Amino acid sequence: MLYGYMAYFDAQEKLLEALKALKKAGYRHLEAITPTPLEGLEAVYGHDERIPWMAFFLGVLGAGLGLFLQVYTTLDYPHNAGGKPLLGWPAFIPVTFEITILTITVGIFLYLLYLNGLPLAAHPAVLAPRYREALVPGGRALLTGILKDRAPLVREAMAGAGFRPLEEAAEGEWVLLAYGR
């Protein structure tokens, strides 16, 4: 099954310009595959506000779990150590901190894997004939998952941004288009 449209760019500015044009046309599921990080790509995509809130939730969960485990253990197996109080909270701080950091780290790692759709055995972009050529330093590629019935709108947006079609392939309800300048 084909994934969507693919455009090849020789300059970072052209890629960002095309992404802005497609974003302005109303497309939300855009993906850029480049050999190097791009300045300004996050500004085009927008910020994902879910990640900081998930980290906060995981931190609260980790702190609560760390405190619960220590209080439960202390109350279930009381131990008088040198006349110290049974629930001496200063002794709980290091373990609670460690459990909090561990929960945030592992949780955010797994959450980012989920958000990015990983692990992905093979990205559909590798089906494009010039995929490897586009990922050499200096090459740029633009992907967007569009169904065949939306093809005329994407062609119009890409033509309006000054790009010409290089190749086209269709399979089922998906179309793969490659554009260049």
Side-chain angles (χ1 to χ4, degrees):
M1 174 171 71
L2 295 175
Y3 184 66
Y5 294 97
M6 177 179 274
Y8 302 97
F9 301 98
D10 57 356
Q12 171 180 339
E13 296 78 24
K14 293 177 184 177
L15 170 63
L16 292 175
E17 182 182 320
L19 279 171
K20 288 176 187 173
L22 288 172
K23 190 86 165 178
K24 191 175 185 180
Y27 296 100
R28 296 179 305 153
H29 301 289
L30 301 171
E31 185 174 357
I33 299 177
T34 63
T36 58
L38 292 180
E39 290 283 331
L41 193 58
E42 187 178 0
V44 174
Y45 280 163
H47 298 287
D48 191 354
E49 299 295 330
R50 297 174 292 179
I51 296 170
W53 284 107
M54 180 57 78
F56 175 75
F57 169 74
L58 289 168
V60 170
L61 179 71
L65 180 66
L67 282 173
F68 169 76
L69 288 174
Q70 292 178 89
V71 169
Y72 175 78
T73 303
T74 302
L75 293 177
D76 199 30
Y77 301 103
H79 180 70
N80 185 0
K84 295 180 183 171
L86 188 60
L87 294 176
W89 66 268
F92 296 167
I93 292 174
V95 174
T96 302
F97 176 76
E98 294 295 332
I99 297 283
T100 301
I101 299 302
L102 178 67
T103 305
I104 292 172
T105 305
V106 172
I108 288 294
F109 174 74
L110 295 174
Y111 186 62
L112 288 176
L113 284 179
Y114 167 74
L115 285 181
N116 291 317
L118 298 174
L120 185 62
H123 196 282
V126 301
L127 298 174
R130 293 178 49 205
Y131 172 74
R132 291 182 188 193
E133 178 184 324
L135 287 185
V136 298
R140 301 287 185 256
L142 168 75
L143 296 179
T144 154
I146 307 287
L147 294 171
K148 189 181 274 188
D149 61 343
R150 303 282 307 232
L153 299 173
V154 173
R155 287 186 186 107
E156 183 180 312
M158 295 301 282
F163 299 99
R164 60 181 173 80
L166 297 176
E167 53 192 89
E168 181 172 347
E171 182 179 307
E173 59 187 37
W174 296 94
V175 175
L176 174 70
L177 285 180
Y179 282 87
R181 285 210 178 184

